[in-house]
């Protein structure tokens, strides 16, 4: 069983930055593929960034050049560094993990509870 706990969400003005964290419990993250997803009210959940077991990363086009995903295996933690935030980035952000490579597909086996990010104009 893998448990994921997100933190770091909050409210920020457009152009600002936030760093989300996802602590994994149960298995060492190096054995997992992990990703960040987000869901805004009335919209489907969408993949934001992924970090696969082989170290490869993927990003949604809407966040390329602004967001960076990273993983600290020593701390069992996944991060999402978000810069130049826009109001359209406002959403609940979820961390996900799986033993298979899932990239930005929303069929990960394990999910966190989410952390809210609100960007005001």
């Amino acid at each position: 069983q893998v448990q994921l706990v997100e933190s770091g969400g909050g409210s920020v003005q457009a152009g600002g930055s936030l760093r989300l964290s996802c602590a994994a419990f149960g298995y060492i993250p190096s054995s997992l593929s992990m990703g960040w997803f987000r869901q805004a009210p009335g919209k489907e959940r969408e993949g934001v960034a992924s970090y696969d077991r082989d170290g490869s990363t993927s990003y949604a086009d809407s966040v390329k050049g602004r967001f960076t995903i990273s993983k600290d295996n020593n701390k069992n933690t996944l991060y999402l560094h978000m810069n130049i935030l826009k109001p359209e980035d406002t959403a609940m952000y979820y961390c996900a993990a799986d033993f298979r490579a899932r990239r930005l597909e929303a069929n990960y086996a394990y999910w966190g509870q989410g952390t809210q990010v609100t960007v005001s104009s």
Side-chain angles (χ1 to χ4, degrees):
Q1 185 72 15
V2 176
Q3 294 182 328
L4 304 171
V5 180
E6 303 99 332
S7 62
S11 297
V12 64
Q13 289 189 330
S17 299
L18 284 173
R19 188 185 74 168
L20 304 184
S21 300
C22 172
F25 301 92
Y27 285 92
I28 299 173
S30 60
S31 69
L32 300 174
S33 291
M34 301 182 74
W36 287 100
F37 290 77
R38 66 187 182 186
Q39 188 167 19
K43 295 188 177 180
E44 293 186 354
R45 187 171 296 188
E46 64 171 343
V48 175
S50 67
Y51 195 111
D52 285 341
R53 294 174 58 175
D54 61 1
S56 61
T57 58
S58 300
Y59 294 92
D61 288 342
S62 59
V63 306
K64 283 181 180 177
R66 300 189 297 122
F67 291 10
T68 302
I69 191 170
S70 63
K71 190 189 327 181
D72 186 333
N73 291 329
N74 291 329
K75 295 183 179 180
N76 298 345
T77 301
L78 181 76
Y79 300 100
L80 184 67
H81 307 262
M82 305 186 295
N83 297 315
I84 317 175
L85 283 161
K86 303 176 181 180
E88 51 263 44
D89 294 319
T90 295
M92 184 70 78
Y93 282 71
Y94 298 91
C95 175
D98 201 297
F99 294 105
R100 298 182 179 181
R102 298 297 186 187
R103 305 285 179 176
L104 298 180
E105 298 295 323
N107 55 352
Y108 282 71
Y110 305 101
W111 292 85
Q113 295 295 316
T115 185
Q116 178 68 37
V117 172
T118 302
V119 184
S120 58
S121 58

